[in-house]
Amino acid sequence: MQANQLKAALADSHYRAIILSYADANHYLAGVIDTLGNYHMLGDRHDVTKPFNSLREAERALADLGATQALLKMHSAYEELGPNDGLEEHIADLELRNLS
C-alpha cells in the first residue's frame, strides 16, 4: 500500500495503524490492519513492502501519515515452543508521538 492509500485508510474507521516486529528480523513493518484482520503494509511506488530499521522510524512514518495510535504486534519464535496460553495474538496498544 502506497503512502497516499495508507493515509486515506487511516481516516477510515475500518482500519487501525499497526507495526509488526519479528524477533528474528532486524526491521519493523508499518501499515494498517482492517476489521477482517488483513494487513496492508506501507510500500513504495512499486508496492514493495518498506522495512524500517527501528521502532521509532516505523512510528514516525505512521505519525507523518496522520496516525495518533497504533497497535504493536511482536512475533517471537518462543511462541511456537511452549503450550498455547490461550492468547493467540500478542498485541499491545502503542501511542505515537510525532517528535518533529
Side-chain angles (χ1 to χ4, degrees), residues 28-85:
Y28 296 82
L29 303 177
V32 293
I33 184 170
D34 64 26
T35 54
L36 298 175
N38 298 311
Y39 296 106
H40 308 275
M41 306 317 291
L42 184 60
D44 64 16
R45 60 188 175 106
H46 301 290
D47 289 326
V48 174
T49 302
K50 180 179 180 177
F52 295 93
N53 294 319
S54 69
L55 177 60
R56 183 68 192 123
E57 196 177 292
E59 192 178 66
R60 181 165 297 198
L62 289 173
D64 288 346
L65 294 172
T68 56
Q69 291 187 330
L71 300 173
L72 173 61
K73 184 172 182 181
M74 301 181 78
H75 294 275
S76 167
Y78 296 108
E79 294 170 8
E80 299 173 6
L81 296 176
N84 187 343
D85 60 4

Side-chain angles (χ1 to χ4, degrees), residues 76-97:
S76 167
Y78 296 108
E79 294 170 8
E80 299 173 6
L81 296 176
N84 187 343
D85 60 4
L87 300 173
E88 291 183 26
E89 303 287 338
H90 297 275
I91 299 177
D93 283 316
L94 174 71
E95 182 181 345
L96 300 179
R97 294 173 297 270

